[in-house]
Amino acid sequence: MVQKWKRWNTAARKWLWILVVLGVAAALPVGYDRLQTESTSQNVELVFDYRDLVDISIYQTHPQDFINEQLGRLKDAGVISMAMYESTLDELVRSRRIMVFDAQQAADLTGRVISPNENFTYVAFTSEENASRIRPLITDTFMMLDIPVRDWEYNGNDGLIIETPRANAVIKPLAPDPITLEMLRDQGFLIVPRLSDSLPYNQEYVEKLMAYFAENGVKRILFDGDAAKGFNDDAENDTLTAFAELLNRYDIGLVAIENIRSPQKGFTKLAYLTDYNVTRIYSLSERDANLKVDVISDRFALASKDRNIRMFYLNAEPSRDMTKASITHPLDNLIESLTEPGDAIKKMEANGFTMGPAEAFDVTDSSLQRYFKMVVVVGAVALIALMISFYIPFLTIAAFLIGMVGSAGLYVLNASLMEQALALFTAISAPTLAVILAIRKVDHSRKQVQNMKTGQRLSNAIVLMLTTTVLTLIAVPLVVALLNNVTYMLVLDQFRGVSLLAAAPIALIALYVVLYRGSSAGSTFAAIRKLFQTPITLVWIIGAGVVGIVGMYYLSRTGNAGTVSSIEMAFRSFLENTFGVRPRNKEFLLAHPLMVLGLFLSFKYRYGVYLLIIGVMGQLSMVGTFTHIHTPLDISAIRVVLGLVLGLLIGLIAVGIWQVAERIWKQWSPQLKR
């Protein structure tokens, strides 16, 4: 019975390969749907923070003239939108709309004795227009908060008394300043409001605000703070759903901020309720606004092309320059980055984008996609079972059946988690399986053909490198199909397990090389027994330490959190500007060349296969490139092809260097021994 089970497991590999091929075939239409989705949303929108402009104007001799001048320059430079925060009393003071006094200041101004039991806030409007337009903002907000507001007059100017201390009054958010908003609209700017969730949610107030935004052409809202509007009251009053209904009614979308430390609370739910009417924004910080113009320009061009960024948020702030004894600002630097000499806009237009209001992706979701995905799941489980079969052949059929049952159960509990788990293990399995088959191939060839000629070894190495790569890349359509969801494109959800993907194939190939190169289970057990009986020497300890340090450095560079030196950044820019798409350094400079060299050596030397332990890094990296779902498929494909071509060329150079070094060694080693 045991022998029958072994035969069944061996025969099952053929059927598993058939299921993998069917899964790949089913994944192709799903990948095509994603390509169709990525071809939409080609507008790029530049947004400037208007509050920063006001802050800079405070240090100018003629603030309003300065604002008008800079607005014209920004518009000419390609900025089409202004971000407006909710107003505060302090901001209205900076805009010269009002004057604000506490109780002591009001008593001094009016010549009255301060009341011992009143600590109120006193507001005086600076003009009749300001009184008529700003008064409703103040009264509506404070009355909504049950804070009494009554009329007041100072020196012939209309005013208000807000019955709360000034320290409390000035932090309450009001609706955006309508005078400023209309001024910006008259100058041709679109408005991107920034709303917070710091006040209790009031549906009547928010509906009035959304109607006003819609009247003024607002198409997108950017949240300020760590939560979306309505989140804090959602548990009790379902306010996110109520807010989403207003957004849908007035056709107003959302903006997702890239690379924030933690997602804004409630944003994912709100995005779902608005049918993912979302676009992503890259924020250039106040500090980065002072970078060199070519650096800023390259960032914008790269973000729009490689990361599906469709909005760019420009920050600026005044700073003290003691060397010039003056207050400076980065507005000139930003404008030069967009125009000349940075030419950010020209670079983005050259990549096929148009400057205009950002739009959400028009998601293509064919009616048969869910059925294709079911076949993809079967193919992915089959691929994982195949990889397991080369380590534990006895469990080939069991691994497939357990994988199918587990996938079904996990789908019921959490479909997204099932997709991510399958995508991760598929991404690990394909490069591992491909390199295992390459190792088996070179071992078999070395036994069949003794003293293989150099030219034959080289041609075999190149062909085997290419076939290994093709086999590795069968994971790509499976992973793309499993993660084909707009939530990944918008980075509302992310592929998890990047570090495991980066480490697992390397560890598995090392395990196979050390323990599984024998032809039988007995030889594997013998290798394990021999390994455990081997004495641990100082060399082993030093070697383990070196491997550990290198491994920690390698993992620290994995993902988006790794740091990059200025030299490497310059090299990356060179590659980007030379090829249009930057190949991954670890692929074409290290892993692919070592893979070629390792295969070449393995046809002659048994231990040449150890280089494939590092070479698998390039194989897993190619699959990992496609797990960045926010990167367009065509960009990922070009990156992989470039890395492979350059890696092959450098690998050929490495083979040539080895051949020269080997001949020199053969010629001089006898003399060295003497």
Side-chain angles (χ1 to χ4, degrees):
M1 185 63 187
V2 173
Q3 294 302 320
K4 283 185 178 181
W5 179 252
K6 288 182 178 180
R7 288 198 299 270
W8 291 346
N9 279 282
T10 302
R13 285 183 179 174
K14 178 180 69 175
W15 297 104
L16 291 177
W17 277 116
I18 293 173
L19 292 177
V20 170
V21 172
L22 291 175
V24 171
L28 296 179
V30 183
Y32 180 75
D33 284 350
R34 178 176 156 190
L35 281 172
Q36 294 293 100
T37 299
E38 290 176 344
S39 66
T40 62
S41 180
Q42 296 300 301
N43 284 356
V44 173
E45 182 175 347
L46 300 176
V47 186
F48 189 83
D49 190 315
Y50 181 77
R51 178 182 285 179
D52 287 349
L53 187 58
V54 174
D55 290 343
I56 294 172
S57 72
I58 294 173
Y59 298 95
Q60 311 302 316
T61 307
H62 303 288
Q64 194 57 53
D65 290 344
F66 175 82
I67 289 176
N68 291 332
E69 178 188 356
Q70 298 306 318
L71 287 175
R73 295 182 67 211
L74 289 167
K75 186 172 180 59
D76 292 340
V79 175
I80 67 170
S81 299
M82 285 286 155
M84 286 191 65
Y85 289 82
E86 294 168 305
S87 299
T88 62
L89 295 183
D90 275 348
E91 186 171 322
L92 292 172
V93 169
R94 290 197 297 273
S95 299
R96 311 295 176 92
R97 308 282 186 226
I98 62 174
M99 296 180 289
V100 178
F101 312 105
D102 59 26
Q104 179 64 60
Q105 291 170 331
D108 292 340
L109 291 171
T110 59
R112 296 179 181 178
V113 177
I114 186 171
S115 171
N117 198 37
E118 289 184 359
N119 187 14
F120 297 157
T121 302
Y122 297 80
V123 175
F125 299 102
T126 57
S127 69
E128 292 184 6
E129 180 188 10
N130 291 337
S132 63
R133 302 297 302 278
I134 303 302
R135 183 192 299 270
L137 270 64
I138 299 173
T139 55
D140 288 353
T141 299
F142 286 98
M143 295 298 286
M144 181 179 67
L145 297 173
D146 296 325
I147 297 174
V149 179
R150 48 193 167 90
D151 291 338
W152 180 62
E153 182 178 307
Y154 165 65
N155 204 21
N157 293 325
D158 288 339
L160 295 171
I161 299 176
I162 306 172
E163 295 189 7
T164 189
R166 175 174 177 170
N168 185 48
V170 295
I171 63 174
K172 295 291 188 285
L174 316 172
D177 177 2
I179 300 175
T180 299
L181 190 149
E182 291 170 18
M183 178 271 292
L184 293 173
R185 288 282 292 152
D186 290 342
Q187 295 203 29
F189 289 103
L190 300 175
I191 305 300
V192 180
R194 300 206 61 174
L195 302 183
S196 67
D197 194 39
S198 54
L199 296 182
Y201 185 87
N202 183 296
Q203 181 73 354
E204 182 180 353
Y205 172 81
V206 175
E207 181 171 3
K208 181 179 177 182
L209 190 60
M210 293 301 107
Y212 176 71
F213 286 158
E215 290 173 4
N216 284 275
V218 170
K219 290 298 181 184
R220 305 221 162 264
I221 286 176
L222 179 59
F223 294 118
D224 181 31
D226 63 354
K229 188 77 173 176
F231 170 78
N232 290 321
D233 298 313
D234 185 60
E236 296 180 0
N237 302 314
D238 202 19
T239 48
L240 284 175
T241 301
F243 184 40
E245 291 174 356
L246 294 177
L247 292 172
N248 293 331
R249 183 190 310 170
Y250 292 104
D251 192 26
I252 297 176
L254 305 174
V255 180
I257 305 172
E258 188 193 45
N259 287 339
I260 53 177
R261 291 184 178 179
S262 58
Q264 292 172 309
K265 300 171 186 175
F267 189 94
T268 301
K269 179 179 179 180
L270 205 55
Y272 170 76
L273 294 172
T274 56
D275 197 23
Y276 298 105
N277 185 5
V278 178
T279 190
R280 297 177 65 219
I281 193 168
Y282 170 80
S283 180
L284 186 74
S285 68
E286 289 87 349
R287 182 185 63 182
D288 289 349
N290 292 289
L291 291 171
K292 294 180 179 179
V293 295
D294 58 331
V295 174
I296 296 175
S297 174
D298 287 344
R299 282 193 183 186
F300 284 13
L302 189 64
S304 58
K305 183 181 65 175
D306 279 19
R307 302 202 300 274
N308 281 329
I309 298 296
R310 296 296 180 264
M311 297 180 77
F312 292 91
Y313 194 95
L314 307 178
N315 289 283
E317 67 176 358
S319 59
R320 296 178 182 272
D321 188 342
M322 302 307 295
T323 62
K324 299 179 181 178
S326 63
I327 304 296
T328 62
H329 59 77
L331 290 175
D332 292 339
N333 196 59
L334 290 174
I335 291 172
E336 290 172 2
S337 299
L338 299 176
T339 56
E340 294 180 348
D343 291 325
I345 292 177
K346 286 185 179 180
K347 290 179 181 178
M348 289 187 283
E349 289 177 339
N351 290 331
F353 298 105
T354 302
M355 297 299 112
E359 300 170 343
F361 285 108
D362 184 8
V363 178
T364 299
D365 190 357
S366 63
S367 58
L368 296 177
Q369 187 175 130
R370 61 180 299 181
Y371 302 106
F372 287 135
K373 278 193 171 184
M374 292 172 62
V375 180
V376 169
V377 168
V378 176
V381 173
L383 182 63
I384 296 167
L386 275 169
M387 188 270 292
I388 293 173
S389 73
F390 284 92
Y391 290 91
I392 315 176
F394 195 75
L395 295 181
T396 303
I397 297 174
F400 176 73
L401 295 177
I402 293 171
M404 290 303 302
V405 173
S407 297
L410 194 56
Y411 177 81
V412 173
L413 297 175
N414 190 325
S416 176
L417 183 59
M418 183 274 289
E419 293 170 346
Q420 291 191 43
L422 269 185
L424 172 61
F425 289 114
T426 300
I428 291 172
S429 298
T432 304
L433 182 59
V435 176
I436 286 175
L437 293 176
I439 293 171
R440 292 164 69 95
K441 174 66 176 177
V442 295
D443 284 346
H444 177 73
S445 298
R446 193 175 58 254
K447 292 177 181 178
Q448 293 294 111
V449 181
Q450 301 292 329
N451 300 319
M452 189 180 296
K453 293 182 179 179
T454 300
Q456 188 178 1
R457 287 163 58 200
L458 181 59
S459 61
N460 286 349
I462 295 173
V463 171
L464 189 53
M465 171 68 177
L466 294 176
T467 55
T468 301
T469 299
V470 170
L471 186 55
T472 292
L473 293 178
I474 65 172
V476 170
L478 299 175
V479 169
V480 168
L482 287 168
L483 301 180
N484 183 46
N485 193 305
V486 70
T487 58
Y488 296 103
M489 295 179 65
L490 297 173
V491 199
L492 301 177
D493 204 351
Q494 295 191 62
F495 174 78
R496 293 174 175 83
V498 174
S499 296
L500 184 59
L501 171 58
I506 298 174
L508 288 170
I509 293 301
L511 183 68
Y512 187 86
V513 168
V514 174
L515 302 179
Y516 284 86
R517 294 183 71 190
S519 59
S520 65
S523 61
T524 299
F525 290 130
I528 295 173
R529 185 168 58 253
K530 181 180 179 181
L531 181 65
F532 278 106
Q533 292 174 349
T534 302
I536 298 176
T537 64
L538 181 61
V539 174
W540 278 56
I541 296 174
I542 295 174
V546 171
V547 170
I549 293 171
V550 172
M552 289 178 63
Y553 174 74
Y554 167 62
L555 291 177
S556 73
R557 294 294 308 274
T558 300
N560 296 323
T563 57
V564 181
S565 67
S566 58
I567 296 175
E568 186 173 352
M569 284 299 298
F571 184 58
R572 287 184 174 188
S573 297
F574 168 76
L575 293 173
E576 185 74 30
N577 295 328
T578 302
F579 298 107
V581 174
R582 178 181 63 83
R584 298 197 181 282
N585 293 348
K586 63 184 175 184
E587 291 180 19
F588 80 92
L589 289 178
L590 177 65
H592 289 335
L594 286 180
M595 188 79 173
V596 173
L597 180 61
L599 290 171
F600 173 77
L601 295 177
S602 298
F603 284 109
K604 183 177 182 181
Y605 305 107
R606 174 177 172 79
Y607 291 103
V609 78
Y610 280 87
L611 288 177
L612 304 190
I613 297 174
I614 303 175
V616 74
M617 186 193 304
Q619 302 295 305
L620 69 89
S621 177
M622 289 189 295
V623 179
T625 294
F626 288 90
T627 64
H628 296 81
I629 307 301
H630 57 277
T631 299
L633 277 176
D634 57 345
I635 297 296
S636 295
I638 294 170
R639 176 169 287 130
V640 165
V641 171
L642 276 175
L644 183 62
V645 171
L646 293 174
L648 282 171
L649 293 175
I650 296 176
L652 293 176
I653 294 172
V655 169
I657 294 173
W658 175 271
Q659 287 295 99
V660 172
E662 191 175 47
R663 289 182 180 181
I664 293 174
W665 175 255
K666 286 182 179 179
Q667 181 176 353
W668 290 97
S669 60
Q671 299 182 29
L672 292 174
K673 289 179 180 179
R674 288 199 297 269

